[in-house]
């Protein structure tokens, strides 16, 4: 009986311990978010989505990722509009001042 009680106690302890989340590092979360909307030019005949993605990735690698004031950045294609031409650029910042600092740094 003692073995069963000890086993149950250890099992309950492990379940409680494993149910807790543990983080070794704190992650910066954006407090302020900016959203910029662009539109596709649907009249281009030689448009290539792969070429556009390559240019966006190059810009992210050379400019956005090196800007210490930008915490997060996303490029989203918006398909739920009447003409499906919207592109949303979303950036996250930790403070209101960092929006201006990031803009000056990117320029």
């Amino acid at each position: 009986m003692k073995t069963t009680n000890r086993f149950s106690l250890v099992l309950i302890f492990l379940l409680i311990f494993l149910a807790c989340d543990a983080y070794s590092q704190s992650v910066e979360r954006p407090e302020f978010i900016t959203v910029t909307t662009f539109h596709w030019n649907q009249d281009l005949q030689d448009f290539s989505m792969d070429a556009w993605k390559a240019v966006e990735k190059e810009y992210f690698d050379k400019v956005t990722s090196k800007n210490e004031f930008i915490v997060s950045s996303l490029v989203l294609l918006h398909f739920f509009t009447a003409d499906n031409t919207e592109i949303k650029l979303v950036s996250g910042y930790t403070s209101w001042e960092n929006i201006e600092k990031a803009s000056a740094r990117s320029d």
Side-chain angles (χ1 to χ4, degrees):
M1 193 67 167
K2 287 185 176 183
T3 307
T4 306
N5 287 340
R6 286 184 188 171
F7 178 74
S8 299
L9 185 63
V10 169
L11 183 63
I12 291 171
F13 177 75
L14 286 176
L15 288 175
I16 292 172
F17 181 71
L18 293 176
C20 299
D21 292 334
Y23 298 101
S24 62
Q25 297 175 351
S26 63
V27 177
E28 282 187 293
R29 294 183 57 204
E31 298 292 329
F32 296 91
I33 297 173
T34 61
V35 179
T36 307
T37 302
F38 292 100
H39 289 272
W40 292 102
N41 182 358
Q42 302 233 334
D43 297 331
L44 291 176
Q45 298 297 327
D46 59 346
F47 176 74
S48 169
M49 181 64 91
D50 293 331
W52 177 75
K53 286 181 181 179
V55 170
E56 283 295 329
K57 182 170 176 12
E58 181 180 1
Y59 184 81
F60 177 80
D61 292 340
K62 292 183 177 179
V63 178
T64 307
S65 65
K66 293 185 180 179
N67 194 332
E68 65 272 8
F69 301 111
I70 299 175
V71 176
S72 63
S73 179
L74 294 169
V75 178
L76 305 170
L77 301 176
H78 192 210
F79 293 114
F80 299 109
T81 57
D83 58 359
N84 294 335
T85 63
E86 286 188 359
I87 301 170
K88 303 281 186 180
L89 302 176
V90 182
S91 298
Y93 308 91
T94 55
S95 70
W96 188 258
E97 294 81 24
N98 284 352
I99 296 173
E100 294 178 3
K101 291 176 184 177
S103 177
R105 174 115 162 81
S106 292
D107 288 343

